[in-house]
Amino acid sequence: MTQQRATQIKWKVQDTSWEVQDLLSGCHMSSPSPFDDDEKSTLSGDWRSFRAKLVAGEQLTRPVEEVSFSSVNDLDIVVDHPPLITIGDKWAHVIHEPEKGCILIATEKLDGVHIFERTVILLLSTGPLGPSGIILNRPSLMSIKETRSTALDVEGTFSNSPLFFGGPLEEGLFLLSPKEGGGGGDGVGKSGVFEEVMKGLYYGAKESVGCAAEMVKRNVIGLGDFRFFDGYCGWEKEQLRDEIRAGYWTVAACSPSVVGLGSVGSVGLWDEVLGLMSRRKVM
């Protein structure tokens, strides 16, 4: 096999430490979290888009009858003269292994399982404690203030924010996505307090909510840049892979716009993702 064989695509940007002067003094995540990742490198969105273009190109270069739902992410096949491929702002395609920033799409095997039926889960971590993530497409039923919980609120900063159901395991956490061009992205990324899931999208737990509130007070980021969750989903090290092999979940990569803050609480997200993958149903 020639060097044109693409056996692996993994671009990493080495983690760099920054100090944000006078902004987050005394704000450190000291206690371990179930979301701590074993890969501390910051992941840009570029390699995901590059892979998506390869997948789209492979589908174009194969006869229609040869393209199957299980093979759309086979990166071992490369054409000598690939066509010019463009992808839209929203895209999603199947991948074979779970990775940080991917989504898990519940299959029909989970129909009737109330918590997970037709869920779309954003995987936040694949760390040493096992994969963990949050359900994106369950609507909010109350605000943080109405739950009378102080875990995700500091001095009432987020009390009126809606609280979404993230999963059956107890832990309060939030997604954070600073608006582009507002300057908050630099402060969030350089703070070292929040974990980047994919380009422009971060998450934090109760240990970092105080720093998040301080950033809001200083107008670095706005209240609308957050989505708060009650609970999360977690698996033991090999448990998720076993469930995937058993056909309970389809694993997909997607563009940041698919899982952005605007998608949180959207009951139509499951259908939208399947539509982006050009399949009516996940088999």
Side-chain angles (χ1 to χ4, degrees):
M1 182 65 69
T2 67
Q3 291 184 350
Q4 290 177 328
R5 179 179 179 86
T7 58
Q8 184 178 24
I9 298 177
K10 184 181 288 186
W11 292 357
K12 292 186 176 181
V13 180
Q14 295 299 320
D15 186 31
T16 306
S17 298
W18 292 280
E19 293 183 358
V20 181
Q21 294 181 352
D22 192 41
L23 180 60
L24 300 172
S25 58
C27 291
H28 300 287
M29 297 179 66
S30 56
S31 58
S33 165
F35 310 100
D36 287 343
D37 208 322
D38 54 352
E39 293 186 7
K40 294 299 182 180
S41 56
T42 301
L43 303 179
S44 74
D46 295 339
W47 69 270
R48 298 178 192 272
S49 298
F50 179 74
R51 180 177 61 184
K53 290 180 180 180
L54 286 181
V55 172
E58 180 186 327
Q59 290 177 294
L60 287 178
T61 55
R62 285 186 179 185
V64 174
E65 61 272 14
E66 291 183 8
V67 178
S68 67
F69 195 53
S70 62
S71 63
V72 294
N73 196 47
D74 182 4
L75 298 180
D76 288 346
I77 299 177
V78 180
V79 294
D80 291 333
H81 302 286
L84 179 62
I85 303 298
T86 58
I87 55 177
D89 292 334
K90 284 191 173 185
W91 50 262
H93 65 82
V94 172
I95 56 178
H96 295 307
E97 290 290 328
E99 64 188 24
K100 182 178 182 178
C102 76
I103 52 177
L104 305 175
I105 307 147
T107 71
E108 292 179 345
K109 286 190 174 184
L110 287 171
D111 285 357
V113 181
H114 177 66
I115 291 179
F116 295 113
E117 182 175 1
R118 292 198 168 201
T119 52
V120 178
I121 296 177
L122 174 64
L123 209 61
L124 301 177
S125 169
T126 57
L129 298 180
S132 55
I134 49 174
I135 297 173
L136 293 177
N137 58 330
R138 291 291 188 256
S140 170
L141 300 178
M142 61 183 66
S143 66
I144 293 178
K145 177 171 58 179
E146 290 172 314
T147 67
R148 298 182 179 180
S149 172
T150 58
L152 287 174
D153 197 16
V154 177
E155 299 178 359
T157 303
F158 303 115
S159 61
N160 292 320
S161 299
L163 189 63
F164 298 89
F165 176 70
L169 302 180
E170 293 186 8
E171 176 80 13
L173 66 149
F174 56 89
L175 290 178
L176 170 58
S177 182
K179 292 181 176 63
E180 292 186 8
D186 290 340
V188 170
K190 294 179 180 180
S191 70
V193 175
F194 312 103
E195 285 285 340
E196 188 173 24
V197 184
M198 59 175 61
K199 186 176 182 181
L201 184 64
Y202 303 81
Y203 75 88
K206 60 184 179 181
E207 294 86 0
S208 56
V209 72
C211 297
E214 185 65 22
M215 286 180 141
V216 171
K217 290 179 181 179
R218 301 193 181 206
N219 296 318
V220 177
I221 46 182
L223 287 173
D225 297 337
F226 292 86
R227 294 293 185 273
F228 292 89
F229 297 85
D230 180 24
Y232 75 100
C233 305
W235 296 263
E236 294 184 0
K237 195 66 176 177
E238 296 300 322
Q239 181 185 359
L240 179 57
R241 285 190 171 90
D242 290 341
E243 292 183 10
I244 293 169
R245 283 192 289 265
Y248 292 106
W249 305 100
T250 293
V251 190
C254 67
S255 59
S257 56
V258 173
V259 293
L261 299 186
S263 299
V264 174
S266 171
V267 294
L269 183 61
W270 189 84
D271 288 311
E272 180 185 359
V273 172
L274 297 189
L276 290 171
M277 294 191 294
S278 300
R279 284 280 171 159
R280 182 68 178 172
K281 297 179 180 179
V282 179
M283 302 302 290

